[in-house]
Amino acid sequence: MSEPVSRRSAMRMLGAAGAVLGVAGCAGAAPTGAAPRTTAPSPAAGKTVGAAGIDALLAALTLDEKTALLHGAPDPAPLGQAGYLPGVPRLGIPALRLADGPAGIRVARPATALPAPVLLACAFDPELAREYGRVIGREGRALGQDVLLSPMANLIRTPYAGRNFETFAEDPRLTADLVAAVVRGIQDEGLIATVKHFALNNQEQGRETVDAIAGEQTMHETELRGFEAAVAAGAGAVMGAYNKVNGVHACESKALLDELLRGRWGFDGWVMSDWDATHNAVASLTAGLDMEMPGGTHFGPPLREAVRAGAVPRSAVDLAVRRVLTTMDRFGLLSPHPPARPARDPFAGVRTARKVAAAGAVLLRNEHDTLPLAGASARSLAVIGPTGRVPFVGGGGSAHVLPERAPSPLTAITRRAGNGAAVRYALGEDLYGRALPPTLLTPPADLDDRGVDAGRAWSHEGEFTLDADDEWTLLVHYTGKRPSVGLDGRELFPVRQGVAEYFAGGLLAAAPDGLTVRRHTLPLKAGPHRLAVTAEGGERGQRFRLRHTTRASRAADVAEAVKAAKDAAAVVLFAYEDATEGSDRRSLALPGGQEALIEAVTAVNPRTTVVLNTSSGTTMPWLARTGAVLQMFYPGQEGAAATADVLFGDVDPGGRLTQTFPADERATPVGGDPLRYPGVGGRQEYSEGVHVGHRWYDAQRVEPLFPFGHGLSYTTWEYTKPAVRPLRGGLRVEFTVRNTGRRKGTDVAQVYVGPSGELKQDQPVRALVGYRRLALGAGEERRVTVDVDARALSSWDPERHAWVRGTGPREVYIGRSSRELPLRGKAVVASG
C-alpha cells in the first residue's frame, strides 16, 4: 500500500483495538528473589489499536518508511527539544518529539525547573519522587513532547563525575526505588519515560570511548539495579550509553540489550542510542538497538542497503519497528483520537519544586544552635556570595531548564526576615566581571556594552600596560557568534569541540541578563600587552561586552564581605560548584577563591552558615570554623524560598545524604587508582566490585567527612526496642523512633544488613535494605516496621547466573546513617 491514505481510513483498515503486543521474544523467568515485573497499565487504556493493528501497520509500511521510524531527523517545526522522529502520516503514525528532562522539560519555552534529582533523592521518599515525575510528565505533554529522556539510573560511583547531580545515589537499593517511582510518575501523565544510560556510564571523561570492565556480580548488584527497577515499573524506552561495556559498545551489546534487558528482564519497549552513540548499523540493530538518535547516519541509507544486501534480515527491522509502534500504541499515540494534551499547571509545579527542595535539604553541621535563625541572628544578617543574589537553579548540559521564574536567595531571606530586620549583601566573589575602563587601551575603546548590526563587523586593537605582575580573568558576554578576543596574539576563547562548546555549566555559562558567558584566567606580567577584539553581527546583529577581574578587585570583594560579616549578628554565605554534562570535576574543593572567602568571613563571624549549591561530594578544609553547613545541591527555581524555609526553621531539614562525602580526595572508592577512574589507555576497571559508595568506606574502614545517610535535624531522636524475625524468605524489622525534642521534626530511619556466612560471594560489610521517612511531633513516638525481601538478602552468583539468597544468621543494623547505627538485631534466614 503505497498511495496516500487518510488517517481515519488507515485506522479503519488497521482494525479494532486489542491488547498491547509483548515483543520481548524469549523472555526468561524472573530470577530467584527478583521483584516481579509490574508494568503499569497503559495510560491510554481503551485507546489502542492492539496487536492486530500493529501487524497491519507493519504489512503496510515500506522499507524506507520502516527505517524512517528507526532514526531521528530534523524537526520541521522545532520546539527546542532534543530529538524528533518523523511519523508516517499516510498511515496515521504521528511524529514523536523527545525532550531532555531530568529536572524539568528542556525546550525553548519556560518550564518548571525542579530541584536536581540528587536533591530529590535526599528526601528518601519514593512517593515524593512519583509526584516529581508527574510534574515532569504533565509539563512534557503540555509543552508538545511525547518522550522524556529521563530518568538517569547510573550510580554515583565517583564524586568527580560531572553528571552526579542528574542521578540519585551511590546506593543501588535507594537508586532502584527512586528511579522506579519517577518512571511511574512520568508515565502516569502519558509521557514515555526513557531510562538512561545503559550501562556503566558513570563519568564524563572519555565517556564516548572508555571501555568499562565489570564482572557479572558487580554489575547485577550495583549499576544494573536501577535499570531493572525501571523495567519493572514499565519504562517505555531505554537509552544505550556511549561507552563500551566489557569490550563492546553499549549500543552494540547483545549481552546487555537482548539477553539481559529483554531476555531476563522482559523489557518490551524500545532501545534508542544516546546522541551519536551508534557506530554500525548491522552490529547495533542485530544486538537489539531499535533507534539511532539524533539522525540517520547508520540507520538511514546504510541500514536500507544492508537489508537489500542480505546483511540484515527484514525481520530484524520489523522487530525494531514493532517495538517502537507497540510502545506508542500503549500510550494511545496510534489511536485516531489520541489523548488530549493537558494545559500546564505552573502552580502545581511551583508547589512541588519548593516541597522537594525543602524535603531534600541536608543539614551537615550545626554548632552552637547557629540554625535555625532566631532572635538577633534573624534580625541582623549578612548574605554573602554571588549565588546569594543570582539564584543557582540547576546544572549545565542537557539537564538545564529555562525556568519561568527564579527569585534570588537574598530576596527570599529579606522577605522572610521581615521589615524590622537588617539584611546586608556582599558579593564576595565576582562571577561575571567588572567593566574594563574605556581609557585602559590606547587607543581607547568602550568594551562594556557594544552593539554590532546585522551583516556588519566591529573590531578594535589597542595596547595597555601593567605596573606589576597580576592574575586576570577575562570574560566575554555575547548574544550571537562568539567574538574573537586575542591577547598578545593568543585567542582566549577558541571554539571547543563537541558538547564542551555547548555545555559550559548551569550558572557560569550565562550572565544574569541572559548573555552567554565564557571566561579565561591567566597570569599577566608587568609591562605592555596587546588586546584585539573582533565581533560579527551575523544575520540578527548582536550585543557583547568584555569584562575582567584582577587580584585587586578580588581582594576588594573579600574585604567588603568581611566588613558585612563583622557588622551582622549572623552570616549566610552561599557557595557554589558548577557541574555540567561533557566534563568531570577537576577537584572536589570549591572553585575560585571561595575557600579563602569562607576562611576570611568565619574568622570575623563564627555564626556563619555556609549554604552549598554543589553537585556532589565536596571537601571542606574550612568546616571547623563554620557555625553550620546546609547542603542544597541544585535546588531548582524555588530553591531560594525552600532555603529560607530551612534557615529560619519553618521546616525541619529532612534530607539525608545519598552519597558519602570524603574527607580527602585520595580516600574515595576510586581515589588513587587511575585504572578505576578515569581509566588507563581507554580501559576502566570496576575492581571495587560490590563495594560501591558507603560500602567501600566500611570495607576499607575509611572515615568519611560525612557518611551516607547523614543529616541533622532541629530536634533530637531516640531509637529503641529493636526486633527482627524471619518473614516469607526475608526479614521483618521493627523498632521504635521517638522525637525527644521540643518541636516537630523529620527523620529518615535506615536499616542495613550484614553478610551471610553461607555465601561464597563477596558481600558488603553492611548493605542498605530499607528505610522510612518519618515526621513526628514533639514527644511523639512511632513503631516502625521495615520488611526486607529476599532480593535484598541475595547475592548474584556468576556461575549460576542467578540470585542466591544469603541464608543463615544475618545481623541487622538500625539507625540514622550508615555510621550512626545504635540498634542491632539478628535473625536466621531459612533456606528453601
Side-chain angles (χ1 to χ4, degrees), residues 466-816:
L466 294 183
D467 296 330
D469 293 354
D470 204 346
E471 182 181 79
W472 278 28
T473 297
L474 278 159
L475 304 98
V476 62
H477 303 204
Y478 57 98
T479 61
K481 179 181 177 181
R482 185 184 310 162
S484 170
V485 180
L487 183 63
D488 299 330
R490 176 188 179 188
E491 174 59 48
L492 296 184
F493 306 108
V495 175
R496 301 165 69 187
Q497 296 299 311
V499 296
E501 173 61 23
Y502 301 101
F503 297 156
L507 172 72
L508 301 179
D513 62 355
L515 270 67
T516 302
V517 176
R518 293 294 185 269
R519 54 184 47 74
H520 187 107
T521 300
L522 73 169
L524 292 180
K525 293 289 187 181
H529 297 274
R530 195 96 187 148
L531 184 71
V533 181
T534 300
E536 297 177 11
E539 294 181 359
R540 300 182 178 180
Q542 79 153 312
R543 286 174 53 218
F544 81 92
R545 52 188 175 241
L546 192 64
R547 292 187 170 181
H548 77 317
T549 63
T550 66
R551 283 184 182 142
S553 70
R554 290 190 286 273
D557 288 337
V558 173
E560 179 194 16
V562 168
K563 183 179 185 306
K566 280 182 178 179
D567 294 341
V571 176
V572 181
L573 191 158
F574 286 83
Y576 73 91
E577 175 263 321
D578 195 12
T580 185
E581 177 179 356
S583 61
D584 284 343
R585 302 163 72 190
R586 297 180 181 178
S587 167
L588 303 188
L590 293 172
Q594 293 183 96
E595 290 192 350
L597 174 64
I598 294 172
E599 297 277 5
V601 168
T602 53
V604 300
N605 194 329
R607 295 191 70 80
T608 295
T609 297
V610 176
V611 179
L612 292 171
N613 294 134
T614 57
S615 67
S616 194
T618 302
T619 52
M620 304 180 196
W622 38 265
L623 179 66
R625 296 175 177 84
T626 64
V629 178
L630 178 63
Q631 176 62 255
M632 292 300 296
F633 293 101
Y634 298 160
Q637 69 178 51
E638 302 304 314
T643 300
D645 289 342
V646 176
L647 290 173
F648 286 90
D650 298 333
V651 299
D652 199 38
R656 303 296 181 261
L657 288 181
T658 66
Q659 57 188 298
T660 306
F661 277 31
D664 188 311
E665 295 203 30
R666 296 163 295 183
T668 75
V670 299
D673 187 347
L675 197 53
R676 287 188 185 176
Y677 175 83
V680 176
R683 177 185 174 91
Q684 175 190 47
E685 295 186 359
Y686 284 56
S687 54
E688 71 274 17
V690 299
H691 305 289
V692 64
H694 60 93
R695 300 175 177 185
W696 180 88
Y697 287 87
D698 289 342
Q700 300 298 319
R701 299 182 179 178
V702 172
E703 191 68 25
L705 183 64
F706 296 110
F708 174 88
H710 171 75
L712 303 178
S713 170
Y714 291 150
T715 188
T716 53
W717 302 90
E718 182 182 53
Y719 284 57
T720 59
K721 303 175 185 175
V724 184
R725 62 183 176 86
L727 179 71
R728 295 191 296 273
L731 298 173
R732 170 157 286 180
V733 181
E734 296 178 299
F735 52 96
T736 298
V737 179
R738 184 169 182 260
N739 178 352
T740 56
R742 298 181 179 179
R743 56 175 291 157
K744 180 180 180 180
T746 301
D747 203 19
V748 176
Q750 301 160 44
V751 179
Y752 298 79
V753 68
S756 164
E758 298 183 9
L759 285 180
K760 64 181 180 180
Q761 285 78 23
D762 192 17
Q763 298 169 73
V765 174
R766 282 179 293 275
L768 180 72
V769 294
Y771 49 88
R772 287 290 183 274
R773 182 178 177 87
L774 305 167
L776 300 180
E780 184 181 357
E781 72 174 32
R782 184 174 302 169
R783 190 68 176 166
V784 178
T785 300
V786 174
D787 287 338
V788 182
D789 62 17
R791 166 63 75 85
L793 299 171
S794 300
S795 292
W796 182 266
D797 185 339
E799 295 179 4
R800 296 171 57 183
H801 309 295
W803 292 97
V804 291
R805 191 162 66 247
T807 55
R810 303 294 292 268
E811 192 154 14
V812 174
Y813 307 82
I814 305 160
R816 303 188 64 246

Side-chain angles (χ1 to χ4, degrees), residues 11 40 57 82 102 134 146 151 160 209 436 438 502 564 568 576 600 702 704 792 810:
M11 289 302 109
L57 279 174
R134 282 196 292 265
D146 307 291
Y160 291 98
T209 56
L436 290 162
Y502 301 101
Y576 73 91
V702 172
R810 303 294 292 268

Side-chain angles (χ1 to χ4, degrees), residues 51-144:
I54 303 297
D55 288 342
L57 279 174
L58 282 169
L61 287 163
T62 67
L63 179 61
D64 285 0
E65 289 170 335
K66 288 175 181 176
T67 57
L69 290 171
L70 302 184
H71 66 80
D75 188 344
L79 303 177
Q81 80 280 5
Y84 175 78
L85 185 77
V88 182
R90 75 180 185 89
L91 294 178
I93 301 173
L96 295 179
R97 288 186 169 88
L98 300 84
D100 290 315
I105 303 300
R106 184 173 182 260
V107 292
R109 289 175 56 193
T112 301
L114 292 163
V118 71
L119 180 56
L120 165 70
C122 291
F124 278 74
D125 189 344
E127 280 304 309
L128 184 60
R130 189 162 187 168
E131 180 182 331
Y132 179 100
R134 282 196 292 265
V135 168
I136 299 175
R138 182 186 178 98
E139 290 216 337
R141 292 278 298 146
L143 292 170

